[in-house]
Amino acid sequence: METDRFGRDIETDFDIDDPAFNEHFYDVLDTMVARCPVAHSKVGKGYSLLNRYEDVRRAGQDWRTFSSAKGFQPNRPEGMPYLYPEESDPPRHTDWRRALNPFFAPNAVKEFEGQIRADANDLIDAFADRGTCEFIHDFAAQLPGRAFFKNLIGVPVDDLAMLVEAMDAGTYGPVEERAASFGRAIDYLGDFLARRRDEPPRGDLVDLIAGGVEHDGEPCSWEERVSVITDLTFGGIATTTFVMAGALLHLATHPKDRETLVREPSRIPNAVEEFVRYYPPVVALGRTVTKDVEIAGHRFEEGDFVLLNYAAASRDPDALDRPAELDINRESILHTAFGVGPHRCIGSNLARLELRVVLEEFLRRIPDFALKEDTTPEYETGVLRTMTSLHLVFPGGRTEGDAR
Amino acid sequence: MKYTVDGSLCTGHGRCYTVAPTVYAPDDEGYNLRRGDSVEVSPGQDGDARRGARVCPERAIELAE
């Protein structure tokens, strides 16, 4: 069978944590979109995937039938605390989003542009003269955390590495250790939130979270507030890294596109949207079916777990022409990289701002760069996807001691 | 041409006013400013109105001649 050439039949026996998916990412997604509107997994309790744009949209918007309240991960690890508002439905979800949204609106995040630009330049300063960098470690893993910590929650930047590591291990690490890894991040952020609760208010996002929201006139629990700051941090530091890395990989290997953006920075925002589509940090998030329903010709039953395959839906030829092609000049970019329905990524405006500023500054400082010879970028994939190494070289002064 | 933004579907992706700022605008939270309304498109801006509607991931914008 055609869907079998990835070492397993991806239509009936898919595994999102299978290294073969990581390796053949686009091939698997495109095969799914073309051949299986619904794919199934036998892993653990089993789950299904919706792979086409219209089906993903329908399920994402119909939160009553496709609930987030039982979590976004298939085979959710025992003891993994729920992340709010992501893992909740209206009205709890709406109570939080209404309170949080203003902090993430386009005009609100615009205030951070200067600080993000300064941080991008700080990070570039450290390697610009070296003529080489490992872009993930030296830049992409650091910038989103700095942007989020400095501008939104005020956690010391020195603690970023520990949080990134804990959340990484909680996402891609051995399944049985994920809850404990994530727990380290939750403990840290819970202590931080408690300290801020006891300090004079500053009127910022952290005050809002520490103060909590009401559900039906009752104040929400303290655990729920810790969960919210954890969810926002997770989204803020564990995702944009991949788009940044993907963009730089593309520009390192497509000199014409690089030259276009160097010459015409006004084209960067459109390119950013295409990079977000093509390098989706959030591959697929799950829903639990609340009542029997037919979608994409498949009968789902109450209790079934379904992944909305955002990464595949963004490559659906029924939604977008030539989806397998990365075209920075594309006119109508339609994608589901930020999700669809009420759970639309709350940080999407911040992510776009970070990506635009990063590309503007990197291309201004280092307009000519390439992939380092004999290296290939490394990836990690589960319900999220990221790049773990990307070696770049550029004419940049001396190569001290020669890296080779 | 008229456009209508379905207020129950718009979740503030911001694609419409990004690609067609002459037609669509955001409110303070990033939602389409005119969600729920039926709005006349200014002459000569039909193309922009279509472009903005086409990139809405929620399919929240409906156009009518």
Side-chain angles (χ1 to χ4, degrees):
Chain A
M1 186 185 294
E2 225 261 325
T3 54
D4 229 1
R5 65 199 160 86
F6 307 105
R8 62 200 307 145
D9 180 350
I10 59 166
E11 182 166 8
T12 60
D13 185 23
F14 180 69
D15 178 5
I16 201 157
D17 290 316
D18 188 335
F21 181 44
N22 183 48
E23 194 175 328
H24 304 287
F25 185 65
Y26 292 127
D27 203 356
V28 170
L29 294 177
D30 291 340
T31 305
M32 278 181 162
V33 173
R35 296 181 184 273
C36 12
V38 184
H40 305 278
S41 174
K42 295 172 186 164
V43 176
K45 287 178 247 167
Y47 56 91
S48 303
L49 298 96
L50 290 174
N51 297 318
R52 290 183 179 165
Y53 166 72
E54 279 300 336
D55 299 323
V56 166
R57 181 175 73 85
R58 185 183 146 195
Q61 290 178 336
D62 183 4
W63 57 267
R64 286 184 179 83
T65 312
F66 296 90
S67 165
S68 295
K70 288 188 177 163
F72 63 76
Q73 296 188 63
N75 299 304
R76 199 164 206 290
E78 273 306 306
M80 181 77 103
Y82 286 98
L83 293 177
Y84 301 129
E86 193 166 1
E87 299 185 306
S88 68
D89 294 326
R92 186 203 296 263
H93 176 261
T94 319
D95 293 339
W96 275 110
R97 284 299 289 252
R98 200 170 286 152
L100 296 169
N101 279 347
F103 290 91
F104 294 89
N107 284 336
V109 300
K110 225 182 163 321
E111 302 285 313
F112 313 150
E113 181 166 341
Q115 180 66 54
I116 294 170
R117 204 174 290 280
D119 276 312
N121 276 296
D122 269 1
L123 292 168
I124 295 170
D125 283 344
F127 55 73
D129 288 340
R130 214 195 303 156
T132 175
C133 73
E134 197 285 278
F135 184 71
I136 310 303
H137 177 268
D138 293 341
F139 192 98
Q142 299 197 48
L143 197 276
R146 286 191 183 204
F148 187 72
F149 284 6
K150 288 192 183 179
N151 299 300
L152 276 158
I153 61 169
V155 166
V157 168
D158 285 348
D159 294 337
L160 176 60
M162 168 273 189
L163 275 173
V164 169
E165 196 272 318
M167 289 184 162
D168 234 50
T171 307
Y172 304 104
V175 178
E176 61 283 1
E177 291 169 22
R178 285 180 190 174
S181 301
F182 225 93
R184 283 186 282 135
I186 294 171
D187 289 346
Y188 172 91
L189 290 165
D191 290 346
F192 170 76
L193 194 63
R195 279 202 306 278
R196 279 294 310 274
R197 176 192 54 193
D198 300 334
E199 288 174 17
R202 306 175 194 178
D204 63 1
L205 174 66
V206 180
D207 281 339
L208 176 113
I209 299 169
V213 296
E214 292 189 347
H215 303 308
D216 264 341
E218 292 294 315
C220 70
S221 69
W222 176 253
E223 288 68 31
E224 189 167 318
R225 301 172 208 187
V226 174
S227 167
V228 168
I229 196 169
T230 306
D231 192 26
L232 292 175
T233 305
F234 184 45
I237 69 179
T239 51
T240 321
T241 298
F242 181 50
V243 190
M244 257 169 228
L248 268 280
L249 167 62
H250 177 82
L251 297 174
T253 51
H254 296 77
K256 246 187 84 190
D257 284 350
R258 193 177 67 244
E259 284 152 23
T260 299
L261 297 184
V262 168
R263 207 173 47 238
E264 297 175 70
S266 63
R267 287 173 176 264
I268 288 176
N270 196 68
V272 161
E273 208 62 37
E274 179 71 345
F275 290 136
V276 169
R277 181 187 77 83
Y278 201 87
Y279 295 101
V282 178
V283 175
L285 296 181
R287 301 286 190 269
T288 301
V289 176
T290 59
K291 57 174 183 268
D292 295 3
V293 63
E294 191 179 310
I295 190 162
H298 181 80
R299 184 103 198 137
F300 288 99
E301 289 174 13
E302 184 185 342
D304 284 351
F305 193 85
V306 188
L307 283 174
L308 310 187
N309 194 342
Y310 296 131
S314 292
R315 301 172 66 87
D316 182 344
D318 284 344
L320 182 94
D321 293 336
R322 304 170 286 114
E325 199 180 308
L326 194 165
D327 176 2
I328 60 164
N329 303 308
R330 193 184 281 281
E331 261 243 336
S332 293
I333 305 172
L334 177 66
H335 66 78
T336 50
F338 291 122
V340 65
H343 290 275
R344 187 266 303 170
C345 171
I346 196 169
S348 59
N349 301 304
L350 177 61
R352 287 185 179 115
L353 172 66
E354 286 175 28
L355 292 162
R356 172 172 65 77
V357 169
V358 162
L359 289 180
E360 285 170 359
E361 292 309 306
F362 200 96
L363 291 169
R364 183 178 67 78
R365 302 271 312 264
I366 305 177
D368 183 17
F369 56 94
L371 202 55
K372 187 176 178 182
E373 249 180 84
D374 303 323
T375 68
T376 39
E378 306 274 337
Y379 301 84
E380 222 165 28
T381 307
V383 292
L384 304 188
R385 180 165 168 87
T386 196
M387 213 183 282
T388 53
S389 79
L390 175 65
H391 293 273
L392 300 176
V393 288
F394 37 88
R398 297 178 302 276
T399 51
E400 284 168 331
D402 190 4
R404 278 176 183 248
Chain B
M1 177 184 271
K2 278 185 174 175
Y3 75 83
T4 311
V5 180
D6 186 327
S8 70
L9 294 183
C10 174
T11 59
H13 287 267
R15 293 290 289 136
C16 59
Y17 52 78
T18 302
V19 306
T22 53
V23 178
Y24 307 103
D27 69 7
D28 285 346
E29 291 186 30
Y31 293 97
N32 187 301
L33 184 65
R34 304 295 302 271
R35 58 193 171 131
D37 300 343
S38 183
V39 184
E40 193 70 41
V41 176
S42 304
Q45 296 185 339
D46 290 7
D48 280 352
R50 278 195 204 93
R51 257 162 42 82
R54 204 154 49 219
V55 296
C56 174
E58 309 285 354
R59 298 267 191 247
I61 303 176
E62 206 170 306
L63 300 169
E65 293 302 329

